[in-house]
Amino acid sequence: MAAAVERLSRGLTRDRELAGARYMDEERLLGAYLLFYWPVSYLQARGTISELPRRARSVLDLGSGPGPMAFAALDAGASEVIAADRSARALATARALGADAGEPLGTREWNPSRGRPLSELAEGRRFDLVTMGHVVNELFPGPEGDVRRAALLEEAAALLAPGGSLLVVEPALRDTSRALLRVRDLLVARGFAVRAPCLFRGACPALVRETDWCHAERSIEPPQLVAQIGKAAGLRKEAVKMSYLVLAPKGEGWAEPPPGRVFRIVSEPLPSKGRLRYMGCGPEGRLGLSLQEKHVSDGNRRFESLLRGDVVEVAGAEPRGDGLALGEGSTVRVLAPAGRPVPPHERSPHGT
Ligand SMILES: C[S@@+](CC[C@H](N)C(=O)[O-])C[C@H]1O[C@@H](n2cnc3c(N)ncnc32)[C@H](O)[C@@H]1O
């Protein structure tokens, strides 16, 4: 099993030989997917669905494979879930898992490369949530990839009910992450609002330098079987990492950010001599945030334990180099820990 997981890992994340291939139809690889990647995708879906502004009842899971995103949606409170994939075998497995768990799951065969409109699949229905887990990067290889992916996401977003969300999860690899960010930019330019993770409404600042990309991380305690298989396959899993994007239906605006200087932490802690730094990305863009050890105080101590994905309000920081330097008098407040929704900005009666 570890050898099959290792083959999947190599084929999907390193040489990419399996991206877009029919690995779900091979018994050993489907088995490896179920035992290792399924729980990982499930945890990624739980850790991002938890950020949605409201509970999703009706869900469409596109490129579902054996359904980890679909089951995460069910466990997060959905009552009606349809899983769609081109692999009949993966869909049969999803149905069997649903029957075992007493959670009925509808399935549909779906292959976007065949050019049939997505609306046919939806049969006139609208969904609170459409998920696309690790499938977008497997579609439309070639120079037109970004444009075709953006068109597919636009089509998927058209199936959303008002207030709904399109959740795209992709591997946390530089190339797949940057490809998702380019698609994000195309859709933002077409008027889509991002619900998460972005607080910045312009073109993604992580695309400026070739070496940057954007990913999320949620610490997990992997199920024992996943930990064992991961160890045998040489893959560590004490955290799940992914790039993700949550879009609102077209025409719904961006949520008003909380007041103050607000940033999402988009790096791990970056300690250097006597100083701790993170990259933050917020309404004013992507900036370095730093605090010298000698300036740690009660008001800013929280800075020392921030996690990638936390949304924070920083007050009393000064511009320094390419970012902001916090001082002894600065304050740091976590508005939303990683994986939780950013609280909506309540406007005061005076409009501030
Ligand atoms: C890496 S798996 C992801 C499965 C699941 N969504 C998850 O998050 O773990 C990618 C899925 O995309 C599907 N897929 C790849 N190319 C496809 C295509 N052209 N049409 C439909 N599904 C496709 C595969 O069958 C596979 O189930």
Side-chain angles (χ1 to χ4, degrees), residues 23 33 41 63-65 68 85-86 110-113 133-135 138-139:
Y23 52 91
Y33 203 91
S41 294
S64 64
D85 200 279
R86 74 171 172 193
W110 170 71
N111 187 341
S113 310
H134 299 282
V135 61
E138 295 203 20
L139 303 172

Side-chain angles (χ1 to χ4, degrees), residues 244-265:
Y244 74 108
L245 180 66
V246 183
L247 292 175
K250 199 168 190 176
E252 282 185 29
W254 290 72
E256 202 52 48
R261 293 191 101 162
V262 176
F263 298 92
R264 186 182 292 278
I265 301 299

